[in-house]
């Protein structure tokens, strides 16, 4: 089934997961409305990656929305808190940004309703990830229900669909999916704490998960790391 006459709002962070999720939307035939959020994150280099991804996927429009979450803080990505480098943390790590995916999906929902789109794509994953609560299937299902209650479109019988096509994939599965889709994984960005010369640090949770994904997939990793664990 294709959707060549329909648009979808795709959240594009610049990371590998969001790139693959957006590419899945394109493969399904949706026209892409790409949304990135400039939340004054530590890894701002990801915004340049998001622009590369949106261009590579042929997005009809790419909106980079400024929303300074560093005003709230509460995360190693938005405040002066060290990014852990000793391995994947147990529990919910300090790189969790409070309610980030709720905020981002709300913004995507607003654009989708304004644009007449009914489909939203997000690259959350509940297997090989950092333990964030807003990556779980329960969250995605609950937000879809909220979208129906909170919008004119939903009330009038045109509900929204929240697509999380990577939800139950391992990072290795995602790497293989990127290869199947013919994507250049090298244009994506994962690191939480880039080096001054623009390399992946190689030691944060996200770098470790990325490295492991490529290793387990048996696919060459195009990423330039400052170091490896």
């Amino acid at each position: 089934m294709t959707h060549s006459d329909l648009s979808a709002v795709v959240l594009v962070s610049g990371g590998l997961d969001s790139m693959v999720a957006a590419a899945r939307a394109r493969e399904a035939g949706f026209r892409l409305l790409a949304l990135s959020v400039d939340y004054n994150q530590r890894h701002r280099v990801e915004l340049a990656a998001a622009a590369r991804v949106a261009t590579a996927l042929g997005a009809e429009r790419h909106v980079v929305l400024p929303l300074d979450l560093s005003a709230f803080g509460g995360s190693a990505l938005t405040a002066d808190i060290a990014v852990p480098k000793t391995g994947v943390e147990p529990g919910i790590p300090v790189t969790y940004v409070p309610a980030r995916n709720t905020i981002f999906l709300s913004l995507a929902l607003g654009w989708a309703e304004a644009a007449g789109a009914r489909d939203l794509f997000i690259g959350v994953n509940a297997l090989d990830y950092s333990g964030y609560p807003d990556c779980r299937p329960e969250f995605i299902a609950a937000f879809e229900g909220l979208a129906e209650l909170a919008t004119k479109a939903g009330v009038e019988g045109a509900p929204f669909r929240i697509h999380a096509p990577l939800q139950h994939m391992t990072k290795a599965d995602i790497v293989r999916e990127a290869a199947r889709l013919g994507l250049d994984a090298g244009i994506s960005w994962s690191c939480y704490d880039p080096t001054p010369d623009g390399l992946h640090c190689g030691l944060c949770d996200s770098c470790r998960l990325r490295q492991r994904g490529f290793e387990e997939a048996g696919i060459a990793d195009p990423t330039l790391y400052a170091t490896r664990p």
Side-chain angles (χ1 to χ4, degrees):
M1 179 180 179
T2 62
H3 306 276
S4 57
D5 59 333
L6 299 177
S7 295
V9 175
V10 296
L11 283 165
V12 177
S13 69
L16 180 63
D17 293 0
S18 73
M19 179 170 69
V20 173
R24 287 280 294 268
R26 182 184 65 173
E27 183 180 50
F30 287 103
R31 303 195 309 272
L32 304 186
L33 301 175
L35 176 62
S36 304
V37 181
D38 178 357
Y39 61 99
N40 204 15
Q41 60 268 52
R42 179 191 296 262
H43 47 305
R44 295 178 61 76
V45 66
E46 75 174 13
L47 293 172
R52 293 193 297 269
V53 168
T55 297
L57 294 178
E60 286 192 356
R61 188 178 175 200
H62 180 209
V63 170
V64 180
L65 197 67
L67 182 68
D68 187 2
L69 295 183
S70 70
F72 298 158
S75 167
L77 303 188
T78 57
D80 189 18
I81 300 170
V83 172
K85 300 289 183 72
T86 57
V88 178
E89 296 180 71
I92 299 173
V94 296
T95 50
Y96 163 71
V97 178
R100 180 174 59 181
N101 285 341
T102 306
I103 295 166
F104 288 3
L105 276 174
S106 296
L107 296 170
L109 177 63
W111 188 13
E113 185 166 34
R118 293 294 174 266
D119 295 88
L120 288 71
F121 281 76
I122 183 171
V124 294
N125 169 263
L127 292 181
D128 283 348
Y129 74 123
S130 295
Y132 302 145
D134 53 2
C135 288
R136 296 175 297 167
E138 304 96 301
F139 165 72
I140 296 299
F143 193 94
E144 191 171 79
L146 171 68
E148 183 170 356
L149 293 172
T151 59
K152 178 177 183 290
V155 169
E156 292 180 348
F160 295 87
R161 293 169 293 275
I162 313 298
H163 303 265
L166 315 186
Q167 189 81 77
H168 301 291
M169 297 172 71
T170 66
K171 189 64 75 174
D173 291 334
I174 294 167
V175 169
R176 294 187 193 99
E177 185 69 349
R180 183 189 71 80
L181 290 162
L183 303 177
D184 177 6
I187 70 172
S188 67
W189 187 269
S190 297
C191 182
Y192 289 152
D193 193 21
T195 65
D197 52 351
L199 301 180
H200 281 65
C201 75
L203 297 176
C204 68
D205 279 9
S206 190
C207 279
R208 290 172 186 266
L209 288 169
R210 183 180 176 107
Q211 290 174 38
R212 189 175 74 191
F214 278 97
E215 290 170 1
E216 292 180 354
I219 293 174
D221 186 351
T223 312
L224 297 177
Y225 300 100
T227 187
R228 287 179 176 269

